[in-house]
Each structure stands twice: as structure tokens, then as C-alpha cells.
Amino acid sequence: MAYDKFITLRSQAVPLPIENVDTDQIIPARFLKAVERKGFGDNLFRDWRYDKNGQEKAGFPLNDKKYSGKILVGGKNFGSGSSREHAAWAIYDYGFRVVVSSFFADIFKNNALNNGLLPVVVTPMFLQDIFNEIEKDPQSEFEVNLEEQKFTIIATGKSIDFEINTYKKHCLANGLDDIDYLVAIKEDIEEFEKAR
Amino acid sequence: MESKTLFDKIWDAHVVKKVEDGPDVLYIDKHLIHEVTSPVAFLGLEKRGLKVFRPENTIATPDHNVPTIEQHLSIKDELSRTQVETLTSNCEKHGIRLYGLNHPWHGIVHVIGPELGITQPGMTMVCGDSHTSTHGAFGTVAFGIGTSEVEMVLASQCIMQPKPKKMKISVDGELKKGVTAKDIALYIISQISTSGGTGHFIEFAGSAITSLSMEGRMTLCNMSIECGARGGLIAPDETTFDYVKGREYAPKGEEWDKALAYWETLKTDDDAVFDTEFSFDAADIEPMITYGTNPGMGIGVTQYIPTGSGLEGSDKLTFENSLQYMGFKPGDKIGGHPIDYVFVGSCTNGRIEDLRAFADFIKGKKKAGNVTAWIVPGSKQVEKAAREEGLVEILEAAGFELRQPGCSACLAMNDDKIPEGKYAVATSNRNFEGRQGPGARTLLASPLTAAACAITGVITDPRKFLG
């Protein structure tokens, strides 16, 4: 799926200090019935954002006007459960480009990377620093530098290195995906099949 | 030669190419697709002007959003119908074999794969569904993928994956009466948490595992994703070979002999090293039930809900939110709590042995008046066997009815939704908030425990009835 090239991002962040945020919460199953990839952002965190009458629930960070930005900061074990890529689509479609947590579920992490959404893993202590900073000043900004693999809390100057493999970094920075790569090595795949 | 685990042997045999400081290009033997996670992949393929690379290695069935009554009629929900029709037209367009609604072999994708003999030892298998881990029961490297990866497999029969780490979980000893594969799974997850297996592929071993039937092994491997692992597998043995032999896609004649000779080599070398190991005693496991909103929040059915003392910060908040959602108080006894619904089915516990266990338990008893029960077979073949074996009469005499196959109330994409605030004892795999419908409260358990709850109307230890 084509996505925007990832360049260095400076933005405010939206805090979601909840653990084990599963993909059923990110986008409930009843919103997976589309046959095209569009509009999933409207139902991001549907049952946490809206009550059963469709009214916004007060207190949920996405409904809180003081929070905004392209960075979502979640508690540990973010994205567990169902493999639905709709979860990554919904987060991206809503406008986020980076998700930060101390721990991501495997399938979600792959899905995010395949859609230009950068998962940034930080230490539990640094995660708490981020939450504290947002609580102190919701306008506070953060910088995500993909080239240097560095996440910085601008206000304090504190930064942390994050990991991403060279291949995926190249893909994100250039807006490429795995299918481009796989189609290009078709001959290798055919050779592999013959040799079995 | 370097010692290898079973997982290494299968994975390494499927690596087409290693990308420098990147993932492996992994060849996929069998690819299962369903109506929910495939349409965008086909769209992507068409946008790029690509064809399906190996259509004979992809098998399709609609399961996630299909109704479980009146399947002979057109699907009423327009969006669901469109998804199912889109799957049909994509399969026709690309020459993919489809086991559609009303086909005698239709069913939940992870139930029909093994039934048809598509699932075989030593294979790599993927599906856009996290419970693809089910197929690991056959000594198969099987795991769930996202839609971008579905598109990769359609385009190239490969995906790009970093190789997971290896974990061994041993369960030794004899299981106590009333304790099933589902209880083993819920017990393990309660011990290592929903993220304990993240980054790993599990091999289950030990005498309590090898003594499980194929269906029990499928239940256990199915739940390996619930501790965060990509998948879980079990070394194939006579139980496995007996199950596979004679099935539609299974090798025949000389091909069978050749396959069997290879399958018999599929075991972990004695001195192979795992990154992480756990071992448990089967005798410590009792019938399990969950009390919270993730599958790691499970306890023995006779136990008390944890108090949460000692938890701090976001751990404490998460625990409190979870109990509040469930309407439980810390320290409460779970047994005796009234329930409203019982759901027996899903890729976890919707096979014939599950229906047999349930029917055998409720035989001669009556469903409690306060309980609404949905008994949903995992496939047409399970439904057929239940009829032929007389299970339907037993169910009906006790006030239950057998529905038609599909994922049903496991994820409530169809009309099988648990109402807000109601308690449902479910044999499925996830008790997340709203999983079975907005506001629904799910308690995961085995078919035996579900049966005990269905006839008493409250959370009940099945061993009370087992003599």
C-alpha cells in the first residue's frame, strides 16, 4: 500500500496510558466490513471515544481538545490480539504517523511498518517521562528522527535511540513496500520452487 | 551439523533469501483467506496490475461475518453480503478454490484446513487471521498476518518476516479430571501473561501435550497468539499422521510414504537451544475461567478474583478498569456468579470433540432458564457429524439448539452479539472489551465448564458433576 515517505517529524502527542490496548479496541470488529481501505479513522477507538448514541465520551484523550498531534503514545503491549491491519489503517487514517510504547505486539508492529506508521519502542522509564511531559504541558513537542533513529522530548532535551532494521528504515524513508521488493525477486522465488 | 529446533528446521527450509539487516523472504506453502482481511489485498494486487502468483496454494472460505441461521437465504446485512460476494468474485477472477456458504466442507478457516488435509506437518501456512496458529498442532509453522502480507503472498507466495525467537513450554504429568486443552492454554497465559510470548514462536512439549488428541492440540496452539507468540507448534507423531491420512488434500500412495519419512524427522534435536523455556506441572491445572478483559486474566474456577494489591501506576489502572468493565469486585469468589449467555464454538473450541464433550455433559439435564445458549459448529462437517452421532437430539432434549457454522459470537461481526452488560461464558479465545458485542462481558472457559454453567445458570466447576 502506498504511503507518504517518512521524514523527520516534530509534533505534539496524544497520551493513552492504558496497557494491553488490543486491536478490538483500536477498531471493533463490526467496523471491518468495508471492501476498500478508507474511512477507518472515523471509527478509531470507537467504543472508547463514543457512547452508544454516538456522543463523544468526555475524558477520552482523543476527545480532549488539549491534546493533538501526529504521535500516539500508548501503554505497554500495544496492539495485541487480532491481526486486523484495519487497526494500523485506522490510526494512520486518523492522522497519526508514529505510535510510541514500551512494547508492541508482533503482528501490529509489522502491520504498522507496512503502512508507513512508525512504531517507536522506548524504555518503560522513558515512556513514563513522555506521559509526564504531556501531563505537565499538553502543547509540548517531540521529535522523531528516523535517519538518526532518535526520539526527543524537546522541552527537556532528553532523547532515546530506537531500533528499526535497515531494510524497513529504507522502505519507510522512501515510501516503498515489501511487494515492490518481492515482485522484483520473482526469479529467485521460482528458483527456490524448482530446487525443492 | 548445527542442532536445530523443530521450528528452525521448518523455517530455515522455507527461506528463499535473507535480506541484509532485514527480514527473511519466507516461502509459504499454504495460504488461507476469508472475506474480511482479503478484499483490500486483491484491490492492491489489481492496482499494481499483478496476478495471483500461485492460485493453487490459496484456499478460501467465508467465515467471519456469516449468519449462523438460515444460511440458505441471502445474507441480510448488506455490508456482510458484499464482503462475502467480493470474496466469491475475487476467487473466480483469480482461480482460487472457494469453500463457499452451503458447500459441504464450508466452515471456519482454521477448522476446515485440517479437516480437508490442507494442513500438513513441516509446512509454512499463513492467513489474515491471528488464530492461524491453530495449524501448529500438526508440526506446522503457521501464523497470522495482516492484509499487506496477504497481498504479498498473493503476489509472490512469500512474505518478509524477521525470524522469531524460540520458546519451549513443557507441560508434564497427567491432567486431572475435567481439565482440558483449553484449561492448559488459559493456565499458561495466566502464568506468562498476554505478552509473555511476544517475539517468539512456541514449541509445546511434555507428556500432557503429547497425550492430547489432534483437536486438543489445535485448541492449545490456537491460543498461543493470546500470550503474544506468533504461533505455537507441536512435533508431529502417530496421532498427527493418523489424523492426516486419507484426507482430501493429504498425499496418497507413494507420495504418502515419502511425506511420512520426512515428517518423522520433524523434531527438535536433543541439544538444540531455545531462547526462553517454561515448564509446568499438569497436576497444578484446574478448570479455568477468565474474570477480566484479556485472556491472561484467568483463574481456576474455584478461586477468588485477585485483589490487585501490589499493582501500581498504569498496571493498577488497567486492572481496575478491567474489573469495573466486568462488574466484578477484587477478591470476590468467581464461582456462583450468575451468567446470561453460553457460547460454544469458534476456531478454538468448535470441533466435534468439543460438541461431544458438551453434549455428553448436559445429557439428561436441562438448560437453566436464565441462560441463552448458542451452540455453533466450526464447520459443515462438524455439523454433519453432530447430526449423525445423535448429538443434536441430546442438545434439543436439554433445551439447546445447534446453529450453522461460522465465527459467530467469538467476534460478533454477524448478528450473534451478546447484549451490553450481559455475562457470557464462551469457549472462544478473547475476552476483550466489546469483543462479543458493545458492552458484552466475556468469561473464557472450556466446553465442559461452559456446559456446567449452562445447566446451572451460574459459574460452576464442571467437576461437581463428573462424579
Side-chain angles (χ1 to χ4, degrees):
Chain A
M1 208 62 179
Y3 50 80
D4 300 337
K5 291 178 187 180
F6 194 99
I7 40 172
T8 297
L9 176 79
R10 187 173 164 142
S11 165
Q12 288 162 239
V14 178
L16 194 63
I18 301 172
E19 294 176 1
N20 306 316
V21 172
D22 59 76
T23 53
D24 273 82
Q25 306 318 314
I26 298 173
I27 186 151
R30 62 188 190 280
F31 300 111
L32 308 184
K33 293 185 181 181
V35 291
E36 289 174 276
R37 186 195 153 170
K38 58 180 181 196
F40 289 107
D42 295 343
N43 293 312
L44 175 66
F45 294 114
R46 178 76 200 196
D47 294 335
W48 283 350
R49 251 167 94 192
Y50 301 102
D51 66 17
K52 57 183 168 188
N53 302 316
Q55 299 298 310
E56 281 191 3
K57 288 185 185 175
F60 187 66
L62 265 63
N63 296 335
D64 194 331
K65 298 282 178 285
K66 69 174 180 272
Y67 301 125
S68 65
K70 294 185 170 186
I71 302 170
L72 178 66
V73 189
K76 75 176 175 204
N77 198 25
F78 189 92
S80 57
S82 158
S83 63
R84 62 189 67 163
E85 193 159 316
H86 311 70
W89 298 340
I91 294 172
Y92 189 94
D93 189 43
Y94 184 87
F96 293 111
R97 292 296 174 267
V98 174
V99 189
V100 183
S101 178
S102 57
F103 198 94
F104 287 97
D106 292 327
I107 303 179
F108 176 80
K109 197 167 157 187
N110 282 351
N111 286 342
L113 284 167
N114 284 333
N115 287 280
L117 179 67
L118 177 63
V120 172
V121 181
V122 298
T123 62
M125 216 184 281
F126 196 88
L127 185 69
Q128 196 53 54
D129 287 345
I130 301 172
F131 282 135
N132 292 347
E133 180 57 35
I134 303 172
E135 196 178 324
K136 203 173 77 190
D137 176 13
Q139 309 298 313
S140 195
E141 287 198 317
F142 303 87
E143 188 183 270
V144 187
N145 186 324
L146 178 64
E147 178 54 35
E148 291 178 17
Q149 299 179 216
K150 205 174 270 301
F151 184 97
T152 307
I153 304 173
I154 305 283
T156 61
K158 254 192 187 178
S159 69
I160 190 166
D161 294 341
F162 61 85
E163 280 186 30
I164 180 168
N165 69 52
T166 312
Y167 168 80
K168 271 295 168 196
K169 185 169 160 179
H170 173 77
C171 285
L172 276 176
N174 294 287
L176 298 174
D177 68 20
D178 289 349
I179 296 173
D180 301 325
Y181 181 92
L182 287 168
V183 170
I185 62 157
K186 194 175 157 195
E187 281 179 17
D188 292 333
I189 298 169
E190 286 169 341
E191 279 300 311
F192 175 87
E193 287 177 323
K194 275 188 213 136
R196 299 185 84 194
Chain B
M1 222 168 80
E2 187 197 356
S3 296
K4 286 184 167 191
T5 66
L6 167 61
F7 173 74
D8 289 323
K9 289 180 186 179
I10 301 172
W11 182 281
D12 295 352
H14 288 84
V15 174
V16 174
K17 194 178 167 126
K18 284 181 181 293
V19 179
E20 203 184 332
D21 191 22
D24 288 350
V25 177
L26 190 74
Y27 192 82
I28 300 303
D29 292 318
K30 293 291 176 213
H31 179 212
L32 307 172
I33 58 171
H34 61 83
E35 76 280 23
V36 176
T37 57
S38 68
V40 173
F42 281 108
L43 271 185
L45 208 64
E46 278 158 28
K47 269 188 201 151
R48 292 171 201 258
L50 295 171
K51 284 187 177 151
V52 176
F53 183 60
R54 295 286 178 253
E56 65 278 16
N57 291 335
T58 292
I59 295 98
T61 194
D63 56 2
H64 277 60
N65 70 28
V66 299
T68 55
I69 49 166
E70 299 183 328
Q71 287 186 344
H72 61 289
L73 301 177
S74 171
I75 299 173
K76 283 184 197 136
D77 181 285
E78 198 182 321
L79 295 172
S80 296
R81 191 174 64 241
T82 303
Q83 272 194 332
V84 172
E85 287 171 356
T86 304
L87 180 68
T88 306
S89 66
N90 281 330
C91 288
E92 280 169 2
K93 206 183 298 173
H94 294 278
I96 290 167
R97 190 146 180 195
L98 170 73
Y99 292 92
L101 214 51
N102 299 311
H103 188 286
W105 291 84
H106 167 255
I108 302 174
V109 66
H110 309 309
V111 176
I112 72 166
E115 280 177 349
L116 286 160
I118 293 165
T119 310
Q120 295 167 22
M123 282 182 167
T124 48
M125 288 179 78
V126 292
C127 173
D129 186 280
S130 60
H131 293 107
T132 308
S133 57
T134 311
H135 307 270
F138 292 80
T140 305
V141 169
F143 53 92
I145 57 175
T147 298
S148 295
E149 292 165 322
V150 171
E151 189 180 336
M152 289 176 211
V153 182
L154 292 172
S156 69
Q157 204 58 37
C158 291
I159 55 169
M160 304 192 62
Q161 291 287 298
K163 187 178 178 183
K165 290 191 273 193
K166 293 154 289 183
M167 176 181 285
K168 184 180 183 184
I169 298 183
S170 308
V171 187
D172 282 290
E174 208 172 313
L175 290 174
K176 286 184 179 164
K177 189 175 57 183
V179 177
T180 68
K182 180 61 163 292
D183 302 302
I184 302 178
L186 289 173
Y187 178 79
I188 291 172
I189 304 162
S190 77
Q191 297 296 306
I192 73 171
S193 90
T194 52
S195 58
T198 304
H200 291 78
F201 211 97
I202 301 171
E203 180 175 347
F204 294 104
S207 58
I209 306 298
T210 51
S211 62
L212 293 173
S213 69
M214 277 321 292
E215 297 199 358
R217 294 179 190 188
M218 284 186 240
T219 300
L220 177 63
C221 290
N222 171 281
M223 294 287 287
S224 50
I225 177 71
E226 305 311 333
C227 65
R230 287 313 302 269
L233 47 56
I234 297 170
D237 59 12
E238 287 304 319
T239 306
T240 322
F241 310 144
D242 288 349
Y243 182 99
V244 175
K245 197 169 188 177
R247 292 183 185 265
E248 186 176 337
Y249 285 76
K252 309 271 167 9
E254 266 178 47
E255 288 294 311
W256 170 264
D257 297 336
K258 216 172 101 189
L260 187 63
Y262 170 57
W263 296 347
E264 283 170 340
T265 69
L266 293 173
K267 40 176 79 78
T268 291
D269 295 330
D270 286 340
D271 46 357
V273 179
F274 289 87
D275 297 282
T276 315
E277 290 194 48
F278 291 101
S279 59
F280 299 104
D281 186 348
D284 291 341
I285 308 174
E286 65 167 323
M288 297 286 292
I289 194 152
T290 61
Y291 60 88
T293 52
N294 73 56
M297 300 174 84
I299 48 176
V301 69
T302 60
Q303 294 173 8
Y304 293 81
I305 293 167
T307 59
S309 65
L311 296 177
E312 285 177 1
S314 61
D315 287 317
K316 188 163 183 266
L317 185 72
T318 304
F319 177 79
E320 286 170 354
N321 285 347
S322 181
L323 285 203
Q324 191 188 9
Y325 179 85
M326 291 301 292
F328 287 146
K329 289 195 180 64
D332 273 3
K333 191 173 180 21
I334 194 136
H337 193 285
I339 60 151
D340 309 292
Y341 283 77
V342 166
F343 168 57
V344 177
S346 85
C347 58
T348 310
N349 281 123
R351 298 184 184 81
I352 192 63
E353 285 180 14
D354 301 311
L355 296 194
R356 277 184 204 137
F358 185 87
D360 189 48
F361 193 97
I362 54 103
K363 190 174 184 176
K365 303 182 181 79
K366 287 279 180 216
K367 180 178 75 64
N370 61 314
V371 171
T372 302
W374 292 331
I375 317 294
V376 184
S379 70
K380 274 295 203 200
Q381 290 297 307
V382 171
E383 184 186 346
K384 183 167 166 250
R387 291 192 190 288
E388 287 171 359
E389 295 179 18
L391 304 186
V392 173
E393 283 83 356
I394 296 171
L395 290 171
E396 286 175 358
F400 298 93
E401 58 165 339
L402 187 69
R403 298 171 78 93
Q404 290 175 299
C407 297
S408 182
C410 174
L411 81 168
M413 272 194 83
N414 67 356
D415 290 336
D416 306 345
K417 290 180 174 60
I418 308 295
E420 187 179 352
K422 298 293 182 191
Y423 290 90
V425 175
T427 68
S428 45
N429 40 59
R430 289 188 175 134
N431 51 349
F432 297 148
E433 280 183 34
R435 172 77 178 181
Q436 296 194 281
R441 292 160 162 168
T442 303
L443 304 114
L444 301 175
S446 75
L448 276 187
T449 303
C453 299
I455 57 168
T456 58
V458 299
I459 295 172
T460 303
D461 184 348
R463 293 171 297 188
K464 281 187 185 166
F465 295 87
L466 293 174

